[in-house]
Amino acid sequence: MSGVDTVRGIAYQQAQGVLEAIGLLEDPTLGSVRVEGTDDAVDIELLARNGTLSHAIQVKVRAPDYTWGESALLAVLKRWAVLPDAAHASFEFLTDGRLGPSGRRVQQALEAAAEGRTGPLAELLGAGVDDPVCIALGKARIRQDPHSTSALLARAEHQVTAMLPSARTEADLREQAAKAVDRLFRALFDFASNPEPQLREMDRQRIAALLGVPAEQSPAQRWSAVRKRYLEAARSCIEQEVIAPAVAGIQMRDPSVLRQHASGGQKLRVGELLSGRGPVVLAGRTGTGKTTAVRILRQQAAADGRVVITAHAESYLPGRLGALTADGLAAVLQEACPTATGAQALSDSNVTLVIDGAAEVAEPTRRALQEELLAPVSAGHGARIVLVGRDMAALRAMLPSSVSPEMFRMVPLEYKQRVELVEWATTTDGRSCTPHMARAVVATLDKTLGDAAGNPLMFSMAMALLDDQDVPKGRASLYRAFIEQLAARSGATGMSAVRTGLGIVYALLLNDGRRYADVYEWHHLLNQAASTLRSVGLPADVSTLDEAARRCGLITSLGWEQTVVPMHDSFADYLAGAAHASGAEPLPHKLSVGDDQRMLFCAEIRGVDEAIAALVTRDLPFTAVALAGYDRRPLGLEAPHQVASLLCHLSAAQDQAVVMSRLKDGRALALRPPGAESAWVDEARAFELAQTCHAAVVDKEAGPLAVAARLWRQELLTLLRQPAALSPRRPGPGQTAAEALARHTEQTALITNQLIDLAAPPGHAAALKAQVGPLGLRAVIGRPQQDMLGVHTPVDYRHSDDIVIVEASAEPSFSPGESRGRTTLEHLLDSPPSATAAQRVREAIEALTTSSWLTP
């Protein structure tokens, strides 16, 4: 390790020690902290009030170019596991570095052991599940925290402010907190250098004295005392919008959600998110109003006396969910809130914690959050968790596999809502607006926006532009025009450099799976961007770029740590995509969840070339369908080979050869004849081959990716086309209704899994399976009822990972308050299992690609 890395490692370890020491004051079970623990196996030890070791931490930094592998991690874990304290204490390997593939296997084995599945860990260790080392490591975990030392100390200062006596001004409070943390940092450094173990231990009274705060939490700060004040504030809370006021002023007043996988597609009010028990997932594409929906939920719940706390995932530090909850309380109370209060609220089963943007944080942060949610969610203890984000599969993966969350998605704005929003926005500006005028405005916007008219953000931006100019067509043009309007109204200048500079920064951040940065990293990245701009002759400096971006509202700061975030996450996608399109920042080597929008913006601006087509089809194959609409490359001599190469990433079929022919009218006919070689053929030969294989006719302007997407669609349509079949509306001979429904569900699940394996692009079956959702069923079958339409049997149900179906006279299979759908037995049995399976897979693929893409 270099001298620089050594210093960085010491600083990072000390900052983590400071946070642990402050956290000790907020945990009534802990009595002291010891730094530089036993035999170099432990760096930080948290001891209970009786002096026994409760939790041990080994802290290691890693250079960005290196990853943690299996051998290095197991060496650390085994060194801990043989110590006497390992039999009763928990252990944590904490690093700012990345895990390699073998390191991830170790992390996954520890996560499985925490759930009681010790087989993978025993296999890695080469030991039996009853081996003492394996048992000890069942209480171990790997935590990745990539935050800088400065960001960690900023969080420490934030936590201390909530403990300090009130100061005259916020500036005084910040200064006191900074000085307190500095004292603790220096004291821990002195303690760590002492050769005597007992002199490296600092008790809670000493920590409290150094910080100038009480050693025990004040009764006024306990959740039982804060709860009433929080509800009162939440009833009228209008939290400062991260999104620019020009957009925020025209948001949905009562958004709708749709329960995923429910029959009938009934639209529900946002309050339905709280109707059941257990965790909830709310997904929606960018700009669909997720953040607005959860704020409305918080306010409506408070009016009913129910506590909903909303928090930004960008503010989450791995292992500190209590601090994130405290941030959510503080945002409403408008005062610093101790982590201990957040932790107490988190343990209250009458509280709902909404974590917004959970799918948009970096992968290590998502994994840390997943691990922290594992125990309470699996056990059903404490606050109910609602995860909100863009990607349904990513959100579902953050919850324990042993639970079946309620899953909802946002509903686009309907025509009536758009008319109401135009009326409301116009009258808010002090102008009159008749229903006829509002409908005329909506007609204009609908024509310009097309399918995007149902997106609240896009519709709002287009409305904001309507008074100043004609609304531009295309998403990228709309974003650029809106930014120009913001700049003009705020007086910000130099926006060309600002757009490019921010684009470079957001591209770099998105390469790491996020759209936010602490203030120190932000200025470092902005300095990189300014250097790039200067190298091509554009005058730019960090302070000018930052000031202009803040002045027009393109960026803002979040929370005490002043985490820098875009006005809306989609602006980060647009700016990054524009930077890629202009060549200011190269395309990433690999794409991950959340990169779809920047690639689509890039393609809309500059079109699709070979590099972006190959990258997207390989890493985000479902996004390739939307991307294909921007591919206008001419079909040259190598087109059949190019299409075949792209199809290898889209289609699971083995034979990917593509034969093409140019038709007389200029269009192209593409085919996939088995056993052929990719080539151009004449029209007669193409028509002959078309009788034996998949074929698609594409427009004159269609490029290779557009051809590949069409051929993939043909394959999927054939795969999901089910022959007409009749299914009995009643159970068969000797079957009860429960047996018939259970059998139908089992067959549907079997066929669905088979279809997923055949339909999913290579390596992406998990994403499709997550979108399809659980294939089991929990149902209660009621007694047959007669009405004017005949006899029908009501069924209360919900999709689940298991199958539990009972008659009404039996014990119910739902917990009290658990939400469910309602249908009839006849409806469920009417469709054959093959048709039901095909429909679910088709809907999932369309949700991942584009609406109605597989409609014949």
Side-chain angles (χ1 to χ4, degrees), residues 139-222:
K139 301 185 293 295
R141 67 171 180 165
I142 297 169
R143 175 158 61 106
Q144 295 169 263
D145 188 347
H147 289 82
S148 66
T149 297
S150 298
L152 296 175
L153 292 177
R155 163 56 68 174
E157 292 171 11
H158 180 27
Q159 290 183 221
V160 170
T161 58
M163 305 176 183
L164 286 167
S166 58
R168 289 178 303 172
T169 66
E170 184 177 338
D172 289 341
L173 191 61
R174 285 177 177 268
E175 183 180 0
Q176 289 178 25
K179 288 180 178 179
V181 169
D182 183 54
R183 287 194 300 270
L184 180 58
F185 186 95
R186 286 186 282 110
L188 281 175
F189 196 86
D190 290 339
F191 271 57
S193 62
N194 200 304
E196 297 297 326
Q198 66 272 20
L199 297 179
R200 295 198 300 273
E201 185 177 332
M202 186 182 293
D203 63 23
R204 64 189 303 125
Q205 282 72 29
R206 181 68 178 272
I207 296 169
L210 284 166
L211 294 175
V213 302
E216 309 291 343
Q217 186 182 17
S218 162
Q221 293 178 324
R222 293 173 188 155

Side-chain angles (χ1 to χ4, degrees), residues 448-449 465 469-474 477-479 481:
T448 300
L449 296 174
L465 289 169
Q469 56 183 286
D470 291 334
V471 178
K473 294 185 177 180
S477 298
L478 180 61
Y479 274 81

Side-chain angles (χ1 to χ4, degrees), residues 758-777:
L758 293 171
H764 294 272
L768 181 55
K769 187 175 181 62
Q771 186 65 43
V772 170
L775 299 175
L777 195 70

Side-chain angles (χ1 to χ4, degrees), residues 256-259 264-269 272 411-412 414 417:
S256 299
V257 296
L258 196 67
R259 182 175 280 113
Q266 180 185 6
K267 296 181 182 65
L268 306 168
R269 302 190 69 164
E272 286 295 316
V411 175
E414 295 180 334
Q417 290 175 298

Side-chain angles (χ1 to χ4, degrees), residues 92 113 168 225 233 391 442 464 535 625 706 745 785 831:
E92 183 173 68
R168 289 178 303 172
D391 187 87
V442 171
S535 69
V625 174
T745 304
Q785 298 177 2
S831 178

Side-chain angles (χ1 to χ4, degrees), residues 127 183 267 296 300 317 332 410 432 449 473 483 497 592 713 791:
R183 287 194 300 270
K267 296 181 182 65
I296 290 172
Q300 290 179 351
L317 267 66
V332 172
M410 295 298 300
S432 62
L449 296 174
K473 294 185 177 180
I483 290 173
S592 58
R713 177 179 181 272
V791 177

Side-chain angles (χ1 to χ4, degrees), residues 778-780 804-816 818 820:
R778 287 180 174 265
V780 176
V804 181
I805 300 172
V806 299
E807 308 281 353
S809 57
E811 289 293 321
S813 60
F814 294 106
S815 303
E818 185 177 2
R820 64 199 80 170

Side-chain angles (χ1 to χ4, degrees), residues 79 132 163 236 496 852:
R79 202 157 55 235
M163 305 176 183
S236 57
S496 177
S852 304

